[in-house]
Amino acid sequence: MRALPLATTALAAALLLTACSDDDGGDTTGAEKKKGGSACAIGEMTVTAGPANAAPAAGDTGNVPVTITNKSGAACTLDGLPGVRFETGDATIEVAADQAASAAKSTLAKDADTSFTITYVRGEAGADDSLAVKSVKFGLPGSSETDGFEWSYGDVALKDGKPDASFSGFQRTGD
């Protein structure tokens, strides 16, 4: 006779625990969004490229930092790496992530900054083993929007037919 009330109590406890679950079934309008769970969108960011440590001559290495500032009304999440492409006017070429780039998940608070750096080897203008880059386009993880800037740092060397360039993961700037 005691088994029925005990089974009923166990079932009620299991249902109560299920009802208190943190799993929102993928709904980002609930608790996850309040914690900054929505993906950062490039349209809600201010983007600044530079100042660059430009490569002065063919064979030299240069760096171009790209800083994004969250100007949306709330925190957002960066979960992965940016996507970076060089554009020549005739072609769009993907740039590879640096081997040491970390795709960590982080929250970008309102008005906070983060950055990534494009590192490249300068090519000789007009050479067969150089890419005449005109602009750079990039996007944030989880968003299909892109932003970009004009490339004024000379041709980029090619290595095995690909740009001799890479980009870092996001790095916090300031405090």
Side-chain angles (χ1 to χ4, degrees):
M1 284 195 132
R2 206 161 204 297
L4 184 58
L6 187 56
T8 304
T9 303
L11 179 61
L15 289 172
L16 182 60
L17 288 173
T18 302
C20 294
S21 171
D22 285 341
D23 182 12
D24 63 4
D27 179 13
T28 58
T29 61
E32 186 180 352
K33 191 168 188 177
K34 291 179 187 171
K35 295 178 189 173
S38 62
C40 294
I42 200 76
E44 296 177 343
M45 304 290 147
T46 301
V47 177
T48 308
N53 175 21
D60 291 341
T61 301
N63 299 298
V64 181
V66 178
T67 302
I68 59 171
T69 304
N70 183 0
K71 291 300 181 184
S72 71
C76 62
T77 301
L78 292 168
D79 190 4
L81 296 170
V84 180
R85 304 184 305 270
F86 286 147
E87 296 190 341
T88 65
D90 296 329
T92 298
I93 300 94
E94 296 289 325
V95 177
D98 184 90
Q99 290 180 347
S102 172
K105 183 176 181 178
S106 64
T107 299
L108 189 59
K110 181 183 182 310
D111 295 324
D113 297 327
T114 191
S115 66
F116 64 94
T117 301
I118 300 169
T119 302
Y120 69 100
V121 174
R122 185 160 179 176
E124 186 177 330
D128 289 342
D129 60 350
S130 293
L131 185 65
V133 177
K134 302 225 183 294
S135 64
V136 174
K137 294 286 186 192
F138 65 91
L140 302 178
S143 176
S144 61
E145 295 177 87
T146 61
D147 200 336
F149 56 94
E150 285 187 39
W151 184 262
S152 58
Y153 310 109
D155 286 11
V156 174
L158 293 172
K159 184 176 183 179
D160 299 325
K162 298 178 182 178
D164 194 355
S166 63
F167 60 89
S168 70
F170 293 106
Q171 302 164 354
R172 281 283 190 192
T173 57
D175 286 328

